[in-house]
Amino acid sequence: MLTVLRVHLPSEIPIVGCEITPYVLLRRPDGGISTEDVPETVPLDGHFMRYKWFRIQSDRRVAVCNVHPTEQATIQCLGCLKSKIPVAKSYHCSARCFSDAWQHHRVLHERALSALNENGNEEEDLFGRFGSGNAGVINASLSGSTSSIGQSSSINNGPTPVYPTGTDKNSGETWFEVGRSRTYTPTADDIGHVLRFECIAVDRSTVGAPTSIMTSRVIPAPTPTPRRLIPVNSADVMGHFDLDNRTSSFGTFTVLSYNILADTYATSDTYSYCPTWALSWAYRRQNLLREIIGYHADIICLQEVQNNHFEEFFAPELDKHGYQALFKKRTTEVYTGNLQSIDGCATFFRRDKFSHVKKYEVEFNKAAQSLTDAIIPVTQRKVALTRLIKDNIALIAVLEAKFGSHGTENPSKRQLLCVANTHINVHHDLKDVKLWQVNTLLKGLEKIAVSADIPMLVCGDFNATPGSTPHGLLAMGKVDMLHPDLAIDPLGILRPASKLTHQLPLVSAYSSFARMVGGGYDLEHQRRRMDPATNEPLFTNCTRDFTGTIDYIFYTADSLTVESLLELLDEDSLRKDTALPSPEWSSDHIALLAEFRCKPRVRR
């Protein structure tokens, strides 16, 4: 007969929008042990499984903490209510929670006030002076929370997340059947309620005893404060306003670059500070998709996309939003894991803005083989290849724009765009290999530029900080001959260093924040998140052990100008969750996004 041996859940906390697939271990009629389902539509010797999901709903309800969604709220911010910020953002579980979150929470107030065109004095009247007792908050202790918080619901901009205070028989429980399949995706109606999963083995004539398991209370998916596009007024590379280009150029488009942290690397050992439910792929994939779609980018360059996740999730989901997909997975000379979960680079583009012209795949392993054959003695080639072969790749797409051609010298000429997407994840000790890979990529792009004369974007995670030789080569077109990194070259692959050059006029998009003169409140805040010594962001990667910039969007400044940039995140706001990834942000990197405008072509 068919017997249920064990049932457990993949995560202790269910989250709205994240599919739950319980682990069900079965003993099959032949005595074998398996986790494969036996549905009623495909019975096994007359045996099959039936599943049910129930929501246990209580009449007694309290609000949920905005910062710690697994905790009940005891304090509500009056400022959020008065400025019509979504009410869910106003709840906190304790005074300490509200105090710790204030610097980040205050941004919501500032933005709301900016939208209402209020001044600083009115802000103090509205929110109270923080730190002066309970000014600006409602104390909603558990003993009297229901009426205090419940009364505010008429002011909110959406439903209030709530938890039941208990699930005993005396609390007015009601059980609702909510599903009849093995998987279940919690909805907003489930917030704060316990779910019960029930599975039953059935044969031809009898129904076995149900095996059931209860979840923790369903929590709403954390919603980070949306990041805005900050105009940079089309500053050119010298930091001057280029108003002529704004009027005579044509066609703006946005480009997103984002290392999304592959599930195979998102382990509790590495990111022990991140709650396990927020680290699970079921949660992260929905949170990442929500974030990526929310940017409305015309071109999306993702790194660390697993092969199976590209095929089963990202490609079909982004297809629904009008994106065409290209993918290149890493090569496998070194990789020893599951080939389905090997990661790579994925590039998506909106079909209504671009069409695909050509795709180039760069495999640095092949280039390494050619290099060793050319310059390394036969007896040393095995050692050389061991150092050079790292499975890294780059994906290059040539696209044709569909957004018109007015303003060009030759309106009939197609507007092409070359987009390179790469992940140079070479160990930091192998500085020679990292620089050689970047140089190899740039040499390939130079050939494309010579043949096509088109604007270029070079996006990705280069694992190279500002001041390193790879960054210098990208940004300056050459390498400092006296740079200490050049001393690490046991194979002689960087010699002569004078050949480490390229002719592409590449500029880092985010350096526009540093180059801007003047500007308002938003630009000033962004400058504080830039490193004045390097003109790059203070960080794009933020973990407990490392904080720094390794991700970039470079563009050819003779053919493109930067119109606006996605605002950078404040490190202090991230440190409230220790580091990235966190419940709000599902990668250890932050997304970079730039809006570009094509410059008019110059007749040659």
Side-chain angles (χ1 to χ4, degrees):
M1 60 181 297
L2 189 65
T3 307
V4 178
L5 297 179
R6 187 170 52 166
V7 177
H8 71 78
L9 298 167
S11 175
E12 72 275 20
I13 299 175
I15 307 104
V16 170
C18 298
E19 184 180 82
I20 308 171
T21 304
Y23 174 90
V24 181
L25 187 65
L26 302 173
R27 187 186 302 278
R28 301 164 75 89
D30 61 5
I33 307 297
S34 174
T35 57
E36 290 186 16
D37 193 15
V38 184
E40 191 168 355
T41 54
V42 189
L44 184 63
D45 296 336
H47 299 78
F48 56 88
M49 295 296 300
R50 281 182 181 162
Y51 306 102
K52 287 186 180 181
W53 287 88
F54 299 91
R55 178 172 71 237
I56 305 172
Q57 192 158 313
S58 172
D59 295 334
R60 297 172 59 199
R61 299 149 74 87
V62 294
V64 179
C65 177
N66 154 65
V67 179
H68 307 100
T70 58
E71 301 296 327
Q72 297 177 357
T74 63
I75 285 179
Q76 186 171 31
C77 176
L78 281 172
C80 291
L81 301 181
K82 293 182 178 180
S83 54
K84 298 184 179 180
I85 292 168
V87 72
K89 294 284 189 183
S90 69
Y91 295 124
H92 297 268
C93 57
S94 67
R96 173 66 182 272
C97 168
F98 187 55
S99 175
D100 290 346
W102 175 249
Q103 185 172 357
H104 178 62
H105 186 77
R106 188 184 180 94
V107 174
L108 298 177
H109 295 174
E110 291 170 344
R111 290 185 177 181
L113 287 172
S114 177
L116 295 170
N117 199 25
E118 301 284 349
N119 60 40
N121 292 331
E122 288 170 319
E123 178 188 7
E124 187 169 308
D125 293 338
L126 183 61
F127 302 122
R129 189 170 296 158
F130 187 74
S132 57
N134 292 328
V137 301
I138 299 173
N139 262 328
S141 62
L142 287 177
S143 60
S145 62
T146 305
S147 60
S148 302
I149 295 178
Q151 289 170 1
S152 70
S153 61
S154 62
I155 309 174
N156 68 33
N157 296 333
T160 303
V162 290
Y163 282 169
T165 57
T167 57
D168 58 86
K169 294 181 180 179
N170 297 322
S171 65
E173 285 180 2
T174 307
W175 288 38
F176 296 93
E177 184 179 316
V178 293
R180 289 197 172 191
S181 63
R182 183 170 176 178
T183 62
Y184 179 70
T185 302
T187 69
D189 291 336
D190 299 319
I191 292 174
H193 301 299
V194 171
L195 301 174
R196 189 179 83 164
F197 171 68
E198 188 178 276
C199 58
I200 303 173
V202 182
D203 67 15
R204 296 178 181 86
S205 58
T206 61
V207 177
T211 300
S212 64
I213 189 169
M214 308 274 277
T215 73
S216 300
R217 293 172 296 192
V218 177
I219 67 171
T223 53
T225 303
R227 295 169 64 189
R228 299 171 297 167
L229 273 176
I230 308 296
V232 293
N233 299 319
S234 288
D236 64 20
V237 293
M238 298 304 293
H240 299 112
F241 295 112
D242 195 358
L243 297 177
D244 289 339
N245 271 344
R246 289 183 66 86
T247 56
S248 63
S249 62
F250 71 99
T252 62
F253 61 93
T254 52
V255 179
L256 173 73
S257 184
Y258 196 7
N259 180 326
I260 62 170
L261 179 60
D263 182 46
T264 191
Y265 308 134
T267 65
S268 292
D269 288 342
T270 304
Y271 306 105
S272 58
Y273 50 84
C274 185
T276 55
W277 60 265
L279 207 53
S280 69
W281 180 241
Y283 172 74
R284 291 203 309 116
R285 72 174 188 172
Q286 293 298 337
N287 206 34
L288 287 165
L289 181 66
R290 197 162 39 234
E291 181 187 358
I292 291 166
I293 292 300
Y295 293 133
H296 305 289
D298 299 312
I299 300 170
I300 300 171
C301 296
L302 303 182
Q303 302 88 44
E304 284 196 25
V305 180
Q306 288 185 193
N307 185 48
N308 54 337
H309 294 162
F310 172 78
E311 295 176 352
E312 299 167 8
F313 183 70
F314 285 109
E317 288 297 327
L318 287 169
D319 177 71
K320 297 175 186 176
H321 293 271
Y323 290 93
Q324 186 171 331
L326 301 172
F327 182 68
K328 173 61 179 173
K329 66 182 178 182
R330 288 195 293 129
T331 43
T332 57
E333 281 84 347
V334 179
Y335 185 78
T336 57
N338 183 342
L339 292 181
Q340 273 301 300
S341 61
I342 192 170
D343 66 284
C345 295
T347 299
F348 304 84
F349 56 90
R350 294 184 64 91
R351 296 187 193 91
D352 61 347
K353 279 233 174 179
F354 294 96
S355 58
H356 179 229
V357 176
K358 195 163 186 178
K359 171 185 174 183
Y360 298 91
E361 297 182 347
V362 179
E363 295 184 356
F364 294 111
N365 284 359
K366 287 184 178 179
Q369 186 68 60
S370 299
L371 178 68
T372 53
D373 289 346
I375 70 168
I376 304 295
V378 175
T379 56
Q380 299 175 25
R381 285 179 187 170
K382 185 175 181 180
V383 173
L385 289 173
T386 299
R387 186 175 183 87
L388 287 173
I389 288 183
K390 301 300 172 194
D391 289 344
N392 303 133
I393 54 89
L395 173 62
I396 303 172
V398 176
L399 308 175
E400 180 179 355
K402 297 180 178 179
F403 42 67
S405 56
H406 61 278
T408 60
E409 292 291 330
N410 184 359
S412 64
K413 193 169 184 179
R414 298 191 301 171
Q415 176 61 58
L416 299 178
L417 179 70
C418 180
V419 183
N421 180 10
T422 192
H423 186 193
I424 309 293
N425 57 339
V426 177
H427 194 275
H428 62 84
D429 288 341
L430 301 176
K431 294 180 172 62
D432 55 324
V433 180
K434 190 174 297 190
L435 177 57
W436 169 77
Q437 286 190 359
V438 172
N439 188 56
T440 300
L441 172 61
L442 291 169
K443 292 300 182 187
L445 291 173
E446 271 191 314
K447 292 178 182 177
I448 296 173
V450 168
S451 63
D453 185 26
I454 56 177
M456 289 201 163
L457 294 160
V458 187
C459 307
D461 175 0
F462 292 85
N463 273 293
T465 56
S468 65
T469 51
H471 180 268
L473 182 59
L474 283 158
M476 305 302 295
K478 60 183 179 180
V479 174
D480 179 0
M481 299 295 183
L482 300 178
H483 199 291
D485 285 357
L486 294 179
I488 304 172
D489 186 20
L491 302 176
I493 59 174
L494 305 179
R495 301 171 194 160
S498 58
K499 290 187 177 180
L500 297 172
T501 62
H502 68 87
Q503 301 302 313
L504 300 172
L506 294 178
V507 175
S508 175
Y510 270 79
S511 65
S512 296
F513 275 150
R515 294 195 308 270
M516 286 298 299
V517 177
Y521 171 87
D522 288 332
L523 270 175
E524 183 56 36
H525 268 64
Q526 294 311 302
R527 285 198 197 94
R528 294 176 190 172
R529 298 168 189 177
M530 298 288 291
D531 183 348
T534 65
N535 283 357
E536 294 286 6
L538 289 172
F539 69 90
T540 63
N541 180 227
C542 180
T543 67
R544 184 166 52 193
D545 303 318
F546 173 81
T547 300
T549 293
I550 53 179
D551 307 89
Y552 307 93
I553 299 176
F554 285 95
Y555 68 99
T556 46
D558 63 340
S559 53
L560 297 169
T561 58
V562 180
E563 291 286 294
S564 53
L565 295 166
L566 185 67
E567 66 180 325
L568 296 167
L569 294 177
D570 175 62
E571 184 178 350
D572 288 342
S573 71
L574 302 181
R575 292 299 181 190
K576 66 181 172 52
D577 293 309
T578 303
L580 299 176
S582 68
E584 285 188 325
W585 306 101
S586 287
S587 175
D588 55 344
H589 295 248
I590 66 170
L592 301 179
L593 183 143
E595 180 187 27
F596 293 98
R597 184 181 292 273
C598 296
K599 287 184 175 181
R601 294 177 181 274
V602 178
R603 193 188 304 274
R604 295 184 179 181

